[in-house]
Amino acid sequence: MTSSNFHAMLERAKRCETLTVPELKLLFKTVIAIVSEEPNVVPMPSPVVIAGDVHGQFYDVMRLFEVAGGCPENRMLFLGDIVDRGYYSVETLTLLLLLKVLYPDRIVILRGNHECRTTSENYGFRDEIVRKFGRTDIWKAACDVFDYLPIAALIDGRAFCVHGGLSPSAPTLDLVRELHRCNEVPLTGPLCDLLWSDPSSAIENWMMSSRLAGYQFGQTACAEFCYINDLDVVFRAHQTAMAGYQSWFEGQMFTVWSAPRYCYRMNNKASVARYAESGEVTFDVFDAVPNDQRKFPEGHNPLSGFGSLGSLANLALSFGAPGLGAGDVGLFAGTAEQDD
């Protein structure tokens, strides 16, 4: 298939049109051929626009591109959690993967904790595919793509970017580079930690995460990681930030959150981070697209639940995780997932 065919698909994807099964399978196969050649830690030159979780909120992703200035005009990095929760995980993933095929050097897509079989089976992506296609092989093919996505990025050798956080089992970038990533996310170990861990201002070093996957880590642990690897800053996503972003450890780490009005209910803002050639970090904050400017699937609306978690009981659980702000309660091979 020629690039003109992929360009035509991209124009349809921008209109939130769902590609056909043969088109999606070809897209997934093409993306695997590209990302399988990328290292675990992808080097990127500045300037870079950095996006956090988007969770299938297609219309807000289109707003994100308006705010960021577009791709390939800008070099862009997505920190993972493209799918689940929102109504349009298929179309959101399709859009980003088409950009990867057409502009492989202008966009990097990292793996998030939702880019795995166990989580995406429980949090909406698989159900969405069954609803739209009446089959599961597309979900399985998408999960094969997830296995090949890189783990992290390194901007100018100074800014480390990852979905979740740090791992006590991977104190150096060389150890991250040596990990075997092309499989399902394990229950424990450094790959799990990098996708699931969270910073905490309540501790200095390490403790097991209340998510029951990954760790919580404090300022000392972050400072040691940056010192050992000669880093200035760490960017991560994974946790809802009501202001769209959050600074940790006196600016040595930032959470970037790019899903405004998360799950179509929360009152949070979203942002993209900009990492300049000078090393300066700035944030562009944006709001959700108004309901009258977005399309909801038939039978769904923002006042009757979201994704596969429509009941009031699940909503109460979702927003009731103590000590973690606006959190989700989820399953990761039978464990609890809080926040995102």
Side-chain angles (χ1 to χ4, degrees):
M1 182 171 286
T2 65
S3 62
S4 61
N5 296 111
F6 285 117
H7 276 288
M9 288 184 199
L10 179 60
E11 291 307 307
R12 290 162 53 200
K14 289 178 179 178
R15 298 191 295 269
C16 201
E17 294 181 16
T18 307
L19 299 188
T20 66
V21 168
E23 288 172 331
L24 286 172
K25 288 189 172 182
L26 175 62
L27 174 62
F28 294 161
K29 181 179 179 181
T30 305
V31 171
I32 287 176
I34 294 171
V35 298
S36 63
E37 297 298 319
E38 293 182 326
N40 285 353
V41 182
V42 180
M44 298 182 72
S46 59
V48 178
V49 177
I50 304 168
D53 297 33
V54 297
H55 281 298
Q57 295 184 197
F58 176 85
Y59 293 97
D60 297 315
V61 172
M62 295 303 292
R63 173 63 177 149
L64 181 155
F65 279 112
E66 292 177 10
V67 171
C71 179
E73 294 83 0
N74 290 274
R75 187 177 294 108
M76 300 196 67
L77 169 63
F78 283 80
L79 298 177
D81 277 14
I82 309 303
V83 301
D84 285 339
R85 306 292 189 193
Y87 291 127
Y88 294 103
S89 289
V90 173
E91 292 77 13
T92 302
L93 180 65
T94 298
L95 175 70
L96 297 187
L97 294 185
L98 283 167
L99 289 171
K100 184 64 182 178
V101 168
L102 292 168
Y103 312 108
D105 297 327
R106 301 295 291 177
I107 182 171
V108 172
I109 305 168
L110 303 185
R111 189 176 195 175
N113 63 304
H114 280 259
E115 276 75 56
C116 77
R117 292 162 184 81
T118 305
T119 311
S120 68
E121 185 174 17
N122 285 288
Y123 284 94
F125 184 44
R126 182 183 181 278
D127 290 345
E128 179 185 329
I129 286 176
V130 171
R131 185 171 65 251
K132 291 177 177 177
F133 299 100
R135 52 201 289 180
T136 61
D137 57 328
I138 296 300
W139 172 71
K140 293 175 181 177
C143 290
D144 289 340
V145 176
F146 298 158
D147 287 344
Y148 285 91
L149 294 177
I151 302 167
L154 185 64
I155 306 173
D156 291 346
R158 308 297 297 179
F160 180 69
C161 307
V162 69
H163 177 72
L166 308 180
S167 171
S169 301
T172 68
L173 293 183
D174 284 342
L175 286 172
V176 179
R177 292 183 177 105
E178 293 169 3
L179 293 176
H180 176 67
R181 78 176 194 253
C182 297
N183 56 339
E184 179 69 344
V185 178
L187 297 176
T188 60
L191 180 56
C192 172
D193 299 342
L194 292 164
L195 272 57
W196 280 89
S197 294
D198 300 293
S200 172
S201 57
I203 61 174
E204 285 297 322
N205 286 292
W206 303 93
M207 66 179 292
M208 294 301 298
S209 175
S210 56
R211 299 177 187 266
L212 305 183
Y215 286 83
Q216 288 183 302
F217 56 91
Q219 184 168 1
T220 297
C222 182
E224 288 178 352
F225 180 80
C226 290
Y227 176 78
I228 290 170
N229 296 287
D230 196 23
L231 299 171
D232 294 330
V233 66
V234 177
F235 291 95
R236 44 91 63 178
H238 194 46
Q239 284 178 298
T240 311
M242 296 304 292
Y245 67 95
Q246 184 171 353
S247 175
W248 298 88
F249 313 141
E250 300 177 357
Q252 194 163 51
M253 173 174 283
F254 292 100
T255 295
V256 187
W257 185 261
S258 301
R261 195 148 46 90
Y262 180 39
C263 295
Y264 311 109
R265 285 180 173 268
M266 292 180 62
N267 290 322
N268 66 288
K269 295 183 180 296
S271 77
V272 292
R274 295 183 185 272
Y275 187 84
E277 293 174 289
S278 65
E280 180 186 15
V281 178
T282 57
F283 292 88
D284 293 342
V285 176
F286 61 97
D287 292 311
V289 173
N291 285 348
D292 61 2
Q293 296 178 25
R294 66 171 80 226
K295 178 182 176 183
F296 290 96
E298 184 177 355
H300 293 262
N301 68 69
L303 299 180
S304 64
F306 54 89
S308 61
L309 300 177
S311 73
L312 291 177
N314 276 326
L315 286 173
L317 285 172
S318 290
F319 301 140
L324 287 170
D328 304 332
V329 175
L331 294 177
F332 179 65
T335 63
E337 181 203 355
Q338 295 168 318
D339 262 351
D340 209 353

